[in-house]
Amino acid sequence: MSFSPCPPDALAGKVIQEQRDRWERKRSQAGRELVLSEQRYCQQLELVITYFVEILKAKGTLKQDIRESIFSSIKAIHSVNQSLLVHLESGDFGRGFEHFCPQLHHYNVYVDNIYNAQKVLGIQLKKNKAFRRFKKLQEARPEFREHKLEDLLQLPIERIHRYKGLLQEMTANTSPDNPEFQQLSRAAAAVEDLQHRIRSNGRRRQNHLQLRRVQKLLKGSQSQVLAAGRWYIREGWLKVVPAKGSDAKARMFFLFSDMLLRAKPRATDGQKFAGEHAYPLRECTVEKVFGNTKGKGGLLSLTFAKAKLLLMSSDPEDFNDWYQSLSSAVRKLRPESTLVLGREDREPGPLGSAPGGPGDDGGNRKRNMVSNDPGEATGGATSEWDSSAPKRIKEDAWDDSWEASTSTCVLL
């Protein structure tokens, strides 16, 4: 008996063929999932249109403008996806998505309107008894599997997120020589752009809610927090060190993309604040006076055109977070200037303690915007049917829509 090994060329060809077979199996699996999920998605959209949109129109329970505010472009989306499904069921994935992508503007309209839709829906549920009863009856239908209209309105948003993974899987397992490779690649890029739009909308929505929350905290003062282009970054207690000898005073500071707002608790309501000063960050220089020793906080020097602040924190983590947040905000406003300084080699001195109150260590108030992943941005579930926050908002959450304010130092 003699052993004759496979020729090298034959062995290499076998390995290549096995790899191609694996790619084809993965591509086929992703294709089947794409077809099946698209069928379910189109069925779900059809149920929403039939049992909500069309019946509401026939009954006149909601006025046309209100219906359009809630359901937006969902009928156009259903039509577009029905056409896509025909191509997918015939196995023509590339051509299907090539025709589908130019129609994504219907999804743009929908995702841009989704938060307004939620708001209008909430108002109608409070004010319109007939609609409230209608919604409850329709949701009880077995076809909806106990899902609420609020969940159903998220279906197009969730579908976009699902497309991304399936298209990436199909593209990764399609040979570049296959004519469908370029078509699927372009579709994956178009879906990625739409997903970015969804995330951006979610960040803007969360920012708006934060600005409104802070504005309510400052109720009764002249502080105007809501402004176009302004982004909330963080807030918390810091001790203001006076220029001349006296006790440091605890104050609440709200940091935004264009200003730092100083406030004090209102005497009549400890949960509200009265604005004292708004400091424009465009004119600011940030200097770390000291703050290098473990177990201690630090002292920040902020210099403005018409004012200077010495701010102290005895919490080292909180102090470093304030320093990083302020430095980053200033750099974004004036990237051409050197505005952030540090005295890293200075010998740290002992930190004085302010009288007990909201600025003391155990009473620190730190509330910040929670960053959005795609699921959070839509507020929907992760399937098609089925506190503590970070110390500061992530920088990229306000990079895309940066519009600096030109406010000046104001006594409020």
Side-chain angles (χ1 to χ4, degrees):
M1 180 181 294
S2 64
F3 175 75
S4 51
C6 240
D9 289 346
L11 181 60
K14 182 180 179 181
V15 171
I16 292 172
Q17 186 59 45
E18 289 176 349
Q19 181 61 60
R20 286 175 176 170
D21 291 342
R22 284 195 293 272
W23 286 338
E24 185 57 36
R25 285 195 298 272
K26 290 182 178 179
R27 173 186 161 86
S28 297
Q29 183 178 357
R32 283 195 300 272
E33 174 58 27
L34 185 54
V35 172
L36 292 175
S37 60
E38 188 70 18
Q39 290 171 342
R40 291 194 300 270
Y41 174 57
C42 288
Q43 291 168 2
Q44 292 158 5
L45 291 181
E46 186 173 0
L47 289 172
V48 174
I49 293 168
T50 300
Y51 290 110
F52 281 99
V53 180
E54 295 299 341
I55 295 181
L56 282 170
K57 180 180 179 181
K59 290 170 66 71
T61 307
L62 295 178
K63 295 180 180 179
Q64 181 179 348
D65 60 333
I66 295 176
R67 288 200 316 272
E68 292 176 352
S69 295
I70 295 175
F71 297 100
S72 187
S73 56
I74 196 167
K75 291 183 70 174
I77 287 174
H78 178 245
S79 177
V80 169
N81 280 87
Q82 285 282 75
S83 299
L84 172 63
L85 180 59
V86 172
H87 288 283
L88 298 184
E89 289 178 331
S90 65
D92 199 354
F93 296 98
R95 183 174 298 180
F97 277 103
E98 191 171 49
H99 293 164
F100 173 73
C101 287
Q103 304 301 318
L104 282 176
H105 60 88
H106 295 301
Y107 276 89
N108 289 341
V109 172
Y110 195 87
V111 302
D112 288 347
N113 180 69
I114 189 63
Y115 295 113
N116 180 61
Q118 294 170 350
K119 178 181 178 181
V120 174
L121 176 59
I123 292 172
Q124 291 304 309
L125 289 175
K126 288 181 179 179
K127 295 183 176 181
N128 192 329
K129 184 177 179 180
F131 174 66
R132 188 164 61 245
R133 183 168 56 249
F134 170 83
K135 175 177 176 288
K136 186 175 181 179
L137 288 172
Q138 299 303 83
E139 290 171 346
R141 290 179 175 274
E143 296 93 333
F144 291 115
R145 303 178 188 178
E146 299 184 355
H147 283 81
K148 305 296 183 184
L149 179 57
E150 291 84 348
D151 302 325
L152 301 173
L153 291 176
Q154 295 295 329
L155 287 172
I157 310 292
E158 295 167 9
R159 189 58 182 161
I160 290 299
H161 297 320
R162 186 69 178 128
Y163 279 143
K164 180 183 177 182
L166 290 170
L167 283 169
Q168 286 178 340
E169 182 72 11
M170 290 202 68
T171 304
N173 292 286
T174 299
S175 169
D177 298 331
N178 190 320
E180 285 194 326
F181 179 81
Q182 292 297 330
Q183 295 170 321
L184 294 173
S185 297
R186 287 193 293 268
V191 168
E192 176 76 24
D193 289 343
L194 183 52
Q195 195 175 45
H196 177 74
R197 189 187 191 108
I198 294 171
R199 289 195 298 266
S200 296
N201 287 350
R203 287 194 294 261
R204 284 193 291 270
R205 171 64 175 171
Q206 289 299 317
N207 181 67
H208 178 70
L209 293 177
Q210 288 284 28
L211 294 179
R212 286 184 57 190
R213 178 186 62 80
V214 175
Q215 187 68 73
K216 289 180 179 179
L217 288 176
L218 296 164
K219 186 177 180 181
S221 72
Q222 299 177 13
S223 307
Q224 293 300 317
V225 171
L226 290 167
R230 176 170 293 158
W231 287 82
Y232 170 88
I233 301 176
R234 65 156 297 161
E235 66 193 56
W237 292 96
L238 290 169
K239 296 170 185 176
V240 181
V241 180
K244 297 183 179 179
S246 61
D247 292 334
K249 296 181 180 179
R251 290 291 184 264
M252 173 61 71
F253 284 87
F254 299 93
L255 178 60
F256 304 95
S257 56
D258 63 324
M259 74 170 181
L260 178 67
L261 179 63
R262 188 176 87 183
K264 64 179 180 180
R266 295 175 63 192
T268 56
D269 185 354
Q271 299 300 315
K272 302 287 185 179
F273 296 90
E276 291 185 320
H277 288 277
Y279 301 95
L281 295 182
R282 184 175 292 279
E283 306 169 359
C284 181
T285 300
V286 184
E287 183 177 6
K288 184 189 290 187
V289 179
F290 64 84
N292 300 332
T293 304
K294 292 183 179 179
K296 295 184 179 181
L299 184 66
L300 284 175
S301 173
L302 305 181
T303 303
F304 305 91
K306 298 180 181 180
K308 184 170 184 178
L309 275 178
L310 288 176
L311 303 178
M312 183 172 65
S313 173
S314 53
D315 180 339
E317 185 179 356
D318 184 56
F319 169 77
N320 286 325
D321 188 71
W322 271 108
Y323 176 68
Q324 294 297 331
S325 298
L326 283 161
S327 302
S328 176
V330 169
R331 277 196 301 267
K332 287 178 183 297
L333 286 171
R334 297 179 63 182
E336 74 283 358
S337 303
T338 304
L339 295 166
V340 182
L341 308 175
R343 297 182 183 175
E344 303 296 339
D345 298 326
R346 172 173 288 200
E347 192 69 19
L351 283 171
S353 58
D360 285 346
D361 286 345
N364 267 358
R365 173 195 179 106
K366 293 187 286 186
R367 292 189 59 174
N368 313 283
M369 181 185 289
V370 179
S371 59
N372 304 62
D373 60 24
E376 292 168 339
T378 63
T382 55
S383 65
E384 289 180 344
W385 274 97
D386 301 310
S387 83
S388 255
K391 293 190 174 296
R392 61 179 179 274
I393 179 175
K394 290 183 179 179
E395 291 182 10
D396 64 356
W398 39 285
D399 276 344
D400 296 338
S401 304
W402 183 260
E403 295 176 25
S405 171
T406 56
S407 60
T408 58
C409 185
V410 180
L411 179 64
L412 300 174

